[in-house]
Amino acid sequence: MLEIKKITKIYKEFAIKDFSINVEKGDYFMILGVSGAGKSLLLELIAGLIKPDSGTIIFEGEDITNKNIHHRKIGLLFQDYAIFPHLSVKDNIAYPLRLKKLSSAERNKRVSEYAEKASISHLIHRDPSTLSGGELQRVSLARILAMEPDCLLLDEPLSSLDVQLKEGLRTLLRKLNREGLTIIHITHDFEETISLANRLAVIHDGTIVQQGTPKEVFQYPGNEFVAKMTGIKNFFKTKLIKEPPDNNATALINENIKINLLSEEQNCEGHILIRRRDIIISESKLQSSACNNFEGIITETIPQNTGIEVIIDIGVKFFVLLTELSFEELKLGEGKKVWISFKASSVRFIKN
Amino acid sequence: MSDQRNINLLFTALGGLVLLFIIAPLAGLFFSTSPGNIIETSADPEVQRSIWLTLMTSMAATLCFAIAAIPLAYLLAKRNFRFKRLVLGIIDLPIVIPHSAAGIAILGFISRDSAVGQFASMFGLNLVGHPIGISLAMAFVSIPFLMNAARDGFANVPIRLEKAALNLGASPLRVFFTISLPLAWRNIISGLIMMFARGMSEFGAVIIVAYHPMITPVLIYERFGAFGLKYARPVSVIFIVVALIFFIALRLLSKENKNAGNQKNN
């Protein structure tokens, strides 16, 4: 659907170098990178706000590299919302609808629909200057949906929202994506990425350092930067189940591996994260407060700057980081059977 | 603390002197003219005609030139091009050149021998001594006020808002009319008022282009020359009052206009 081929742009203090990605129709594609990595610049290039120095952007089979902004049908949700301050909320949402030859009744109907979709029906007659940041963002989202874009670009939409608003917007974005809208979303937050992306690219200093599915990137970071950026390798898709009578939380991986954890969420789908350093390796099952104990086989050992990474297969692969001393004392090696243990409190659940 | 108070006192005293310098001559003018004299003069058809002519020619100059000046102000605020600084300098030129010299230049530009004059005479018009000539002279000296105010207004419109509108599918022309122009409107209105007021008070350039028909500043000069201070005063008072009424009314109207210039910029 959207193919970016070797785009280069030097713009003020930011730069994009030889950047290539391929986004399929219906993808929720996230671009993960630290501040100043050139993420916003990339979205502005795709939307046509600025033109690249070299490279090509192909959208729906058409070369749009030099196509004017207003002909692209790629909606950009600005990080600072870009709400028109002289127009009411209603007129902001109606702005793209006025470009279509609609009757005023039809236009009003659609404004109501998009306002409802963004949960801002109650704000429709308000002046933008009276709205909070979260409300403005929803107005901006309703307005961009009203243009019926073929692809939606999101510039750190969740970064300035509180936890409750964040969850609401995540749900809305996921719903829009499931309805078929292709989304490209930039962020610096790997949790956001886990929660939303079906594919992602990690960007550093204006270039892509790795791309793939979240599982591919988080479990097998291509280099140290990605590893540090994502910081997590034990990352599994799960179903959270609350089991009676005591309502303990259990995360189910592949329907057969049960992980005990602490979570206030009710039965739902999501991902669990366990830091490598929170897992203990032993030769036999430990009698301890750790209630997650699994037997597995070491499939790989990888020396690293900070110790040795041991990969243990218990049905899924777990990554554990040890000191060289522990590694030698336990006489670990590929093919050896070991036990891994970790506490329920060291398991983090991120709801989808 | 006391140093600060002393500075405030000093500055207030100096500022007070400036205000007094503006107010005292005007107050003197008002107090030395009897109400009876003012009423009698305001019934004078020649005075009424001249005030009407002054208002109309200045209004026409402002509105006609705004059509071309506002887009140019937009370009100057939003685009970079070669010789932009030269264009900016040209726009400010009428402020610095003596207005009588400006009048001479305009006269040369619109006289029967010039291309413009010859074009006008094809329609049976002689621009010299004609309200159109007066409007042109007024526009020449007052257009920098509109240009500079409108340029500041457009420069204050965040480019992100214009780009957001383009991203929503609006054409550049639509963005100009629906985003840039409304958001710069407060400055533009202010510029229009200043241009209108400045045009209305012009004397030097207009008297060279058209002694007749007589605009009020020329009428005041003529009454002063022919009859003396006593006869020039009531016309001056009436004209100042009319100018003030227009100035204040337009200012109030522009304040009522909802404008983004003073709103929260998102």
Side-chain angles (χ1 to χ4, degrees):
Chain A
M1 180 187 202
L2 178 72
E3 205 180 334
I4 296 175
K5 290 181 184 170
K6 291 183 172 267
I7 283 284
T8 293
K9 176 75 186 177
I10 315 276
Y11 187 71
K12 295 177 184 168
E13 67 268 38
F14 298 107
I16 290 277
K17 289 165 250 161
D18 251 352
F19 193 99
S20 300
I21 53 170
N22 196 356
V23 180
E24 298 295 335
K25 198 169 178 64
D27 266 354
Y28 199 118
F29 196 100
M30 291 192 79
I31 295 166
L32 182 63
V34 292
S35 299
K39 306 188 299 286
S40 297
L41 184 63
L42 179 68
L43 290 195
E44 294 193 359
L45 283 165
I46 299 172
L49 268 56
I50 45 174
K51 299 271 158 65
D53 298 335
S54 64
T56 320
I57 303 172
I58 311 281
F59 185 61
E60 305 267 43
E62 184 195 354
D63 184 347
I64 58 160
T65 317
N66 293 307
K67 197 172 182 180
N68 287 330
I69 312 173
H70 55 290
H71 292 137
R72 293 200 182 198
K73 283 213 81 183
I74 296 177
L76 171 60
L77 187 75
F78 287 81
Q79 193 175 9
D80 58 1
Y81 321 128
I83 295 295
F84 305 136
H86 59 303
L87 301 179
S88 69
V89 168
K90 184 183 172 188
D91 287 335
N92 262 281
I93 302 171
Y95 191 86
L97 296 170
R98 284 184 196 281
L99 307 171
K100 300 171 182 174
K101 305 239 178 296
L102 301 173
S103 67
S104 111
E106 175 63 20
R107 193 167 57 235
N108 288 339
K109 189 176 145 234
R110 290 209 198 172
V111 167
S112 303
E113 280 170 15
Y114 289 115
E116 198 181 326
K117 213 167 200 171
S119 310
I120 48 162
S121 300
H122 59 296
L123 305 174
I124 201 100
H125 297 295
R126 292 268 292 273
D127 188 304
S129 63
T130 65
L131 302 183
S132 69
E135 289 169 334
L136 285 169
Q137 190 173 49
R138 282 177 177 267
V139 175
S140 183
L141 185 63
R143 187 179 69 182
I144 211 88
L145 292 175
M147 80 176 268
E148 295 174 345
D150 293 331
C151 177
L152 181 60
L153 310 176
L154 307 173
D155 191 352
E156 301 248 14
L158 303 165
S159 60
S160 56
L161 302 184
D162 63 37
V163 177
Q164 206 179 354
L165 288 172
K166 230 179 229 187
E167 193 46 50
L169 189 61
R170 266 186 202 168
T171 308
L172 175 60
L173 293 174
R174 210 174 283 122
K175 187 166 164 254
L176 290 169
N177 179 241
R178 281 185 191 140
E179 285 169 5
L181 182 61
T182 308
I183 297 177
I184 301 175
H185 175 152
I186 60 171
T187 183
H188 62 272
D189 184 344
F190 78 91
E191 280 192 26
E192 213 169 290
T193 313
I194 289 166
S195 166
L196 290 165
N198 72 320
R199 292 182 58 232
L200 79 134
V202 182
I203 178 172
H204 180 50
D205 262 347
T207 49
I208 288 187
V209 285
Q210 194 173 359
Q211 60 178 315
T213 64
K215 189 174 175 179
E216 284 163 1
V217 175
F218 290 131
Q219 289 196 342
Y220 304 100
N223 60 31
E224 202 176 336
F225 174 77
V226 181
K228 276 186 183 162
M229 177 74 208
T230 57
I232 214 88
K233 285 186 153 188
N234 296 307
F235 152 83
F236 306 102
K237 197 174 176 186
T238 61
K239 266 188 209 158
L240 182 88
I241 300 164
K242 285 276 173 88
E243 289 180 335
D246 45 8
N247 225 20
N248 281 343
T250 309
L252 210 55
I253 308 172
N254 292 348
E255 303 292 337
N256 58 1
I257 299 171
K258 274 187 177 181
I259 308 275
N260 296 301
L261 72 158
L262 304 175
S263 173
E264 294 191 351
E265 298 291 349
Q266 291 306 313
N267 296 348
C268 59
E269 292 197 346
H271 290 85
I272 54 165
L273 314 173
I274 308 145
R275 293 193 306 177
R276 293 179 299 173
R277 64 187 62 176
D278 290 340
I279 302 173
I280 294 168
I281 297 181
S282 57
E283 287 182 318
S284 55
K285 188 175 177 182
L286 285 179
Q287 294 303 314
S288 72
S289 65
C291 54
N292 289 301
N293 298 284
F294 301 95
E295 191 177 25
I297 296 172
I298 297 175
T299 57
E300 209 175 340
T301 59
I302 307 158
Q304 295 194 338
N305 287 347
T306 50
I308 295 176
E309 186 178 67
V310 180
I311 304 173
I312 299 146
D313 191 347
I314 64 156
V316 288
K317 284 180 178 170
F318 267 78
F319 297 76
V320 184
L321 191 61
L322 299 177
T323 60
E324 275 185 50
L325 189 65
S326 304
F327 186 81
E328 279 165 17
E329 275 183 3
L330 288 168
K331 296 188 179 70
L332 300 179
E334 284 172 23
K336 184 169 181 172
K337 272 192 175 181
V338 289
W339 281 80
I340 58 168
S341 310
F342 50 91
K343 292 168 73 174
S345 58
S346 59
V347 182
R348 185 131 159 247
F349 179 78
I350 299 172
K351 190 182 166 188
N352 271 357
Chain B
M1 191 67 192
S2 96
D3 278 357
Q4 184 65 49
R5 204 169 52 231
N6 290 340
I7 287 173
N8 286 348
L9 270 173
L10 176 68
F11 284 10
T12 309
L14 289 171
L17 280 176
V18 174
L19 286 177
L20 195 65
F21 174 70
I22 297 170
I23 293 166
L26 292 174
L29 180 68
F30 276 77
F31 289 127
S32 56
T33 313
S34 71
N37 215 345
I38 291 172
I39 292 165
E40 191 187 329
T41 308
S42 55
D44 180 347
E46 193 183 19
V47 172
Q48 288 178 358
R49 265 199 310 276
S50 82
I51 289 176
W52 187 245
L53 177 69
T54 311
L55 292 174
M56 286 300 110
T57 46
S58 184
M59 185 72 79
T62 305
L63 295 180
C64 291
F65 277 83
I67 293 167
I70 291 171
L72 177 59
Y74 177 81
L75 286 180
L76 289 168
K78 295 286 183 186
R79 305 278 182 270
N80 283 318
F81 51 87
R82 259 181 123 185
F83 307 122
K84 183 173 167 177
R85 290 177 71 86
L86 179 68
V87 175
L88 288 169
I90 291 170
I91 285 163
D92 283 337
L93 211 54
I95 295 175
V96 293
I97 61 172
H99 287 184
S100 48
I104 298 288
I106 296 277
L107 185 63
F109 180 64
I110 62 170
S111 67
R112 278 182 183 277
D113 304 332
S114 71
V116 175
Q118 281 173 8
F119 179 74
S121 48
M122 283 164 59
F123 301 94
L125 286 174
N126 178 10
L127 297 180
V128 179
H130 191 278
I132 295 178
I134 296 172
S135 279
L136 289 173
M138 286 175 167
F140 185 89
V141 297
S142 60
I143 201 148
F145 294 93
L146 172 60
M147 288 292 307
N148 291 331
R151 198 185 72 227
D152 288 347
F154 286 124
N156 288 336
V157 176
I159 196 148
R160 285 184 86 72
L161 294 183
E162 293 171 324
K163 291 205 165 174
L166 286 168
N167 180 250
L168 290 167
S171 66
L173 192 65
R174 195 180 180 94
V175 173
F176 175 78
F177 281 111
T178 57
I179 306 295
S180 318
L181 197 59
L183 289 177
W185 196 236
R186 191 181 185 83
N187 285 66
I188 293 170
I189 288 279
S190 175
L192 288 169
I193 293 169
M194 288 308 292
M195 182 176 174
F196 172 66
R198 183 65 197 83
M200 213 164 70
S201 60
E202 179 53 23
F203 169 75
V206 174
I207 197 169
I208 287 169
V209 171
Y211 196 86
H212 286 284
M214 230 177 249
I215 60 163
T216 315
V218 177
L219 180 71
I220 292 167
Y221 173 73
E222 200 231 20
R223 294 222 167 163
F224 175 65
F227 308 110
L229 191 57
K230 192 181 165 199
Y231 287 89
R233 266 187 189 139
V235 190
S236 302
V237 168
I238 293 165
F239 189 56
I240 288 170
V241 169
V242 169
L244 281 177
I245 288 170
F246 267 85
F247 189 71
I248 292 165
L250 289 173
R251 280 267 174 205
L252 288 177
L253 273 178
S254 75
K255 267 194 178 171
E256 278 172 20
N257 260 323
K258 190 179 171 190
N259 186 286
N262 59 347
Q263 285 186 37
K264 184 176 156 187
N265 189 1
N266 301 299

